[in-house]
Amino acid sequence: MTSTFPDISISTDRLVLRPFEEADVPALAEMMGDELVTAWSSLPHPYTTEDARAWATGQAAAVRTAGRGIALAVTEFLTQRLVGTVHLDHTDWRVRSAEVGYVTAPWARGEGYASESVLAVAQWLFQNHGFERVELRTPADNTASQQVAQKVGCISEGVLRNAWIARSRTEDGGWTDIRTDLIVWSLLPEDLDGLPARMADANGFAYPEWN
């Protein structure tokens, strides 16, 4: 049974999802150091250039080679600018399920790139690898992340109470940890039925190609 994903790039009308490169390091460091990313993720803070280099030149590839999932840089097709990341993890090869996470760069928010990249990866999983489930977990107060899940057709399954630690700004400008719930979402192959028409109605995007 296959236990690792291929080294692959996935293209949509607007985006190319590809392996990370060392050239991504400056933009990756800036993106992951953004306040919203700090607030909702468990990434180191401050997120340094060395953190970005370690991820882009080794750790991201190790996610794939270890069989845990795949981590892809999300870039604009026309400009090749880094605009986000999409990351499959906790892959269960027997059950054919994986958990997806995503980050959108502050300079690219509001363009629908997160939902476009999540949908592209989900279609690739379902159509090329016979996967039966993609799972998302969003902090209870992270409405932007929840909107991504809803836009691609995910179904909310329930709440994991007190299951995540987010960060909040303090009066002195620092950060403090706060506990929060996680909303669990799932996407199954049949949930994509009729999605192209729904996305077109919402000024959405085309289905992807991969190579």
Side-chain angles (χ1 to χ4, degrees):
M1 179 181 292
T2 301
S3 60
T4 59
F5 291 117
D7 195 12
I8 194 172
S9 295
I10 301 172
S11 298
T12 71
D13 278 356
R14 302 190 298 168
L15 301 174
V16 177
L17 284 57
R18 57 159 175 78
F20 283 90
E21 304 169 351
E22 185 158 7
D24 297 322
V25 168
L28 182 64
E30 183 179 355
M31 174 170 60
M32 295 307 193
D34 175 68
E35 285 206 356
L36 285 180
V37 178
T38 299
W40 295 118
S41 76
S42 59
L43 291 169
H45 180 73
Y47 192 91
T48 67
T49 299
E50 288 310 307
D51 291 325
R53 180 169 289 108
W55 177 257
T57 62
Q59 294 171 357
V63 172
R64 185 185 68 82
T65 57
R68 300 200 313 271
I70 191 168
L72 298 170
V74 179
T75 64
E76 287 179 331
F77 178 79
L78 292 178
T79 67
Q80 301 182 32
R81 178 178 65 160
L82 184 71
V83 293
T85 70
V86 61
H87 181 185
L88 292 174
D89 207 351
H90 304 117
T91 302
D92 188 319
W93 291 95
R94 181 172 181 271
V95 176
R96 295 284 167 174
S97 70
E99 183 178 337
V100 65
Y102 39 87
V103 173
T104 302
W107 52 85
R109 290 178 185 143
E111 300 292 336
Y113 288 160
S115 50
E116 186 167 344
S117 57
V118 168
L119 179 61
V121 169
Q123 291 173 307
W124 173 68
L125 281 176
F126 295 155
Q127 296 174 15
N128 278 43
H129 295 282
F131 270 58
E132 295 292 338
R133 175 181 171 88
V134 174
E135 184 173 303
L136 294 80
R137 299 185 177 194
T138 62
D141 292 328
N142 190 344
T143 55
S145 188
Q146 292 163 32
Q147 288 170 356
V148 171
Q150 292 169 337
K151 187 173 181 179
V152 300
C154 291
I155 303 299
S156 175
E157 295 184 332
V159 175
L160 299 175
R161 296 184 301 162
N162 224 21
W164 188 249
I165 296 177
R167 299 182 180 110
S168 178
R169 276 293 192 187
T170 58
E171 291 184 0
D172 62 3
W175 293 92
T176 186
D177 290 346
I178 54 172
R179 296 203 70 95
T180 185
D181 299 339
L182 284 176
I183 301 174
V184 179
W185 307 79
S186 67
L187 187 68
L188 308 184
E190 56 264 34
D191 296 330
L192 298 183
D193 291 345
L195 187 64
R198 298 200 302 273
M199 294 306 301
D201 290 343
N203 296 318
F205 40 82
Y207 271 30
E209 298 177 355
W210 38 83
N211 55 61

